[in-house]
């Protein structure tokens, strides 16, 4: 559907302040993409994911490796190819003046889907992990939106929950019990 094309067009129109756009892919480059654009860098999985975990088709596992993209800025935003900017937005929509990522959550996932949705179980599991360790309940779920991160917090979270991350990072396909990147937001909040 050329979602990536329209996502990039919206980014250029409404968020042109972004310095570098990393397009993560498994050796696929759209024919229409101008790879000579200095703002765009195509990053193949093999460029930042260990060879023993390739090929990798699990988006949750791929997202665990995001802070290891070569030359990625300390402050970065992450979105999928089906996410668009609908109006002008500045960096303070994503980061506070003291450069902390702004975390956007929504109402809790519905427990009525717990039997039928691995996603619902995963979100509830991330909340359980935080509650068991820190005694803090975070009864909110992630939006399907562009999220703000700092590399240092992301890596700190990976190291803190290394056993969970290593397990997910090794799963070629989505697997029950995989960790979700929302754990970074929850960890940052507590």
């Amino acid at each position: 559907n050329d979602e990536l094309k329209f996502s990039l067009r919206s980014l250029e129109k409404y968020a042109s302040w972004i310095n570098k756009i990393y397009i993560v892919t498994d050796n696929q480059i759209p024919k229409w993409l101008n790879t000579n654009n200095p703002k765009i860098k195509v990053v193949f999985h093999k460029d930042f994911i260990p060879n023993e975990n390739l090929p990798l088709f699990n988006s949750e596992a791929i997202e665990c490796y995001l802070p290891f993209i070569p030359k990625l800025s300390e402050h970065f935003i992450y979105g999928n190819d089906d996410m668009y900017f609908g109006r002008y937005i500045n960096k303070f929509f994503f980061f506070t003046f003291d450069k902390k990522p702004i975390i956007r959550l929504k109402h809790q996932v519905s427990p009525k889907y717990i039997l039928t949705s691995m996603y619902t179980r995963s979100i509830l599991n991330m909340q359980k992990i935080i509650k068991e360790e820190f005694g803090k309940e975070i009864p909110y779920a992630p939006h399907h939106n562009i999220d703000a991160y700092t590399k240092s917090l992301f890596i700190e979270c990976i190291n803190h929950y290394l056993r969970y991350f290593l397990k997910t990072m090794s799963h070629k396909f989505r697997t029950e019990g995989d960790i979700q990147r929302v754990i970074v937001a929850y960890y940052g909040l507590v």
Side-chain angles (χ1 to χ4, degrees):
N1 296 327
D2 282 335
E3 290 170 328
L4 178 61
K5 181 189 291 186
F6 297 108
S7 180
L8 290 171
R9 285 180 179 172
S10 76
L11 188 151
E12 184 57 31
K13 183 172 183 176
Y14 296 119
S16 59
W17 50 267
I18 293 174
N19 297 323
K20 196 75 161 175
I21 302 161
Y22 293 92
I23 299 173
V24 175
T25 178
D26 188 25
N27 300 320
Q28 303 165 357
I29 301 175
K31 292 176 188 168
W32 50 262
L33 184 65
N34 177 6
T35 56
N36 292 321
N37 183 330
K39 221 174 185 181
I40 293 176
K41 171 74 174 145
V42 176
V43 180
F44 296 134
H45 291 180
K46 66 181 180 182
D47 296 334
F48 69 106
I49 298 173
N51 197 46
E52 63 268 16
N53 290 344
L54 295 175
L56 193 55
F57 308 99
N58 178 354
S59 61
E60 291 169 347
I62 294 166
E63 290 170 347
C64 290
Y65 287 105
L66 289 177
F68 304 110
I69 293 172
K71 299 185 181 179
L72 183 69
S73 298
E74 167 65 11
H75 294 82
F76 70 97
I77 59 175
Y78 170 74
N80 297 102
D81 60 355
D82 63 346
M83 296 178 180
Y84 312 98
F85 293 95
R87 63 181 171 86
Y88 175 77
I89 200 154
N90 67 35
K91 63 184 173 186
F92 298 111
F93 183 80
F94 297 103
F95 296 95
T96 62
F97 286 102
D98 59 349
K99 299 184 178 184
K100 292 181 181 159
I102 294 171
I103 298 167
R104 290 185 168 76
L105 302 169
K106 64 179 182 177
H107 293 289
Q108 179 65 293
V109 290
S110 175
K112 72 181 182 179
Y113 298 113
I114 202 159
L115 294 177
T116 58
S117 170
M118 186 167 36
Y119 174 77
T120 298
R121 290 189 299 276
S122 179
I123 296 305
L124 294 173
N125 188 42
M126 299 304 100
Q127 294 168 355
K128 180 182 169 198
I129 289 169
I130 292 294
K131 185 173 183 178
E132 286 176 354
E133 181 174 357
F134 296 104
K136 305 245 182 208
E137 193 164 328
I138 301 178
Y140 301 102
H143 274 282
H144 181 66
N145 56 241
I146 299 167
D147 295 317
Y149 296 97
T150 60
K151 258 187 354 183
S152 54
L153 180 65
F154 206 123
I155 292 170
E156 180 183 326
C157 183
I158 288 171
N159 290 329
H160 191 82
Y161 293 115
L162 192 57
R163 67 186 171 113
Y164 295 114
F165 275 93
L166 288 176
K167 192 174 176 185
T168 299
M169 291 165 139
S170 69
H171 292 153
K172 303 278 185 208
F173 299 94
R174 273 195 190 179
T175 305
E176 190 72 42
D178 279 350
I179 204 152
Q180 289 235 359
R181 64 186 162 89
V182 72
I183 193 78
V184 178
Y186 293 162
Y187 180 77
L189 285 172
V190 297

